[in-house]
Amino acid sequence: MAGCLDNFEWPRCEWMRLGERRNTIASIVAGTMFFSGWWVVIDAAANYPNDKDLPKAAHVCGVVGTIALVMVNSISNGHVRGDGYNTGCLGQTGARIWLFIGFLLLFGSLIAAAWILFGIYVVPGKSDPWPGVQLFMQNALIFFGALIFKFGRTEELWE
């Protein structure tokens, strides 16, 4: 049963061969998602200036997500694998710890945004939950932008 799809092959699409454009497309998509996330939350801050409608402390989630995006994408896959990287503070182990902390912060900011959405806006039954939705959208866009920027690019083109 394990080999039932061994002879199955997806048809090749001629128009979808990215080749050397893969890094460019992944970078554009990730940057657009990051920009859109901040644009959404700036719109929320402009439309809800009162601290009662949108607490200023809620913006910390987006800042932490942005810092995590930089942390996750500052480590190349070669550093994590240990390909020719043995210098630095902790070498390969330090790169893995840095990446792990970056992913923790990235997931944590998304979870905190969901907590703010449901804890402040949905469960108490506020009449206008859109500031919470916009905060969650910001962190979701930053989260997926970071993942696309990290895993959508290939390092083979750099060599």
Side-chain angles (χ1 to χ4, degrees):
M1 187 68 183
C4 64
L5 295 176
D6 285 345
N7 295 326
F8 182 75
E9 186 174 324
W10 287 99
R12 302 271 179 203
C13 297
E14 294 295 325
W15 59 269
M16 200 171 144
R17 298 214 177 166
L18 299 178
E20 295 180 1
R21 294 180 293 180
R22 179 178 173 176
N23 289 354
T24 305
I25 292 170
S27 299
I28 290 171
V29 169
T32 303
M33 292 178 82
F34 177 77
F35 163 75
S36 299
W38 275 104
W39 190 13
V40 164
V41 85
I42 288 170
D43 178 60
N47 286 330
Y48 303 99
N50 294 337
D51 202 35
K52 186 183 87 171
D53 295 331
L54 179 63
K56 303 296 185 243
H59 295 292
V60 172
C61 297
V63 172
V64 170
T66 300
I67 293 170
L69 178 137
V70 172
M71 286 179 69
V72 165
N73 290 298
S74 65
I75 301 293
S76 70
N77 293 333
H79 290 144
V80 175
R81 286 190 307 264
D83 296 342
Y85 180 71
N86 53 12
T87 60
C89 183
L90 296 173
Q92 178 185 7
T93 305
R96 288 180 176 176
I97 290 170
W98 184 264
L99 185 67
F100 181 70
I101 291 171
F103 275 121
L104 282 179
L105 290 174
L106 200 59
F107 282 112
S109 68
L110 187 64
I111 292 169
W115 189 314
I116 290 170
L117 169 62
F118 289 103
I120 296 177
Y121 296 100
V122 174
V123 173
K126 284 195 173 182
S127 62
D128 193 11
W130 283 109
V133 172
Q134 288 174 314
L135 282 170
F136 182 76
M137 281 178 46
Q138 176 208 20
N139 285 283
L141 286 168
I142 290 174
F143 177 79
F144 289 118
L147 291 181
I148 288 172
F149 196 68
K150 178 69 178 170
F151 299 114
R153 297 177 303 139
T154 180
E155 294 177 3
E156 295 171 357
L157 299 174
W158 299 346
E159 297 171 355

